[in-house]
Amino acid sequence: VQLQASGGGLVQPGGSLRLSCVASGFTFDAYAIGWFRQAPGKEREGVSCINSDEDRTYYKSSVKGRFTISRDNAKNTVYLQMNTMKPEDTAVYYCAARADLYSGTYLDLCASPGESSANNDYWGLGTLVTVSS
C-alpha cells in the first residue's frame, strides 16, 4: 500500500498550488480520501475529504471557498487545488485513505485523524507547503 503526495513548495500569499496524491496497493475507488496538514507545534488537522463516489466533500471552515478537492478514480489520484493561499496554510500536507463503509465515512475521516490505527487507515508521507513573501 502506498500513498504518494506531491506538489508542495513555496508560494507567495494569494498564490496557488495543486497537490496530488497517487495511491496504489488497494482498491482506490472503495476508499474515502482526505487531505490533512500539520503545522509546527500544532496537531494534525483535517483539511478536506471526499467520499469514494466523488459526490460528497468536506472542507475545514478556514479553507472553504479557497481549496477544492477532487479525485480521478481511473488514475487512483486525489487532488487538492489551493487558491488565495495565506501564511497560515503553511504546513506539511498529508493524504490518507479509509475504507468507505458508510455514508459518513469521509466526514469521520476528516474529523478524526487521530483514530487512524483503529480504522486501519492508510497514510502517505507529507509534502511541505510554505506560504511566504
Side-chain angles (χ1 to χ4, degrees):
V1 172
Q2 189 172 20
L3 289 164
Q4 183 64 54
S6 62
L10 174 64
V11 62
Q12 292 186 342
S16 299
L17 278 178
R18 188 197 196 201
L19 304 183
S20 298
C21 173
V22 180
S24 61
F26 62 98
T27 308
F28 182 77
D29 61 6
Y31 278 70
I33 307 293
W35 284 100
F36 303 80
R37 66 187 182 189
Q38 188 165 19
K42 295 187 177 181
E43 293 188 352
R44 189 172 298 186
E45 61 181 8
V47 176
S48 182
C49 292
I50 187 168
N51 70 339
S52 58
D53 290 336
E54 310 176 50
D55 59 353
R56 297 183 184 184
T57 57
Y58 162 85
Y59 294 95
K60 178 179 173 61
S61 59
S62 61
V63 308
K64 201 172 293 185
R66 300 188 296 121
F67 289 11
T68 302
I69 190 171
S70 62
R71 65 189 291 167
D72 185 340
N73 286 345
K75 295 182 179 181
N76 283 12
T77 302
V78 174
Y79 305 97
L80 185 68
Q81 177 67 43
M82 305 185 291
N83 298 329
T84 320
M85 297 186 71
K86 304 176 180 180
E88 51 264 42
D89 294 323
T90 296
V92 177
Y93 283 71
Y94 304 85
C95 55
R98 180 176 296 179
D100 202 347
L101 302 178
Y102 54 95
S103 62
T105 296
Y106 72 106
L107 293 173
D108 288 345
L109 173 61
C110 258
S112 59
E115 298 178 9
S116 293
S117 60
N119 290 283
N120 296 314
D121 295 344
Y122 300 136
W123 284 83
L125 297 178
T127 184
L128 176 62
V129 172
T130 303
V131 185
S132 175
S133 55

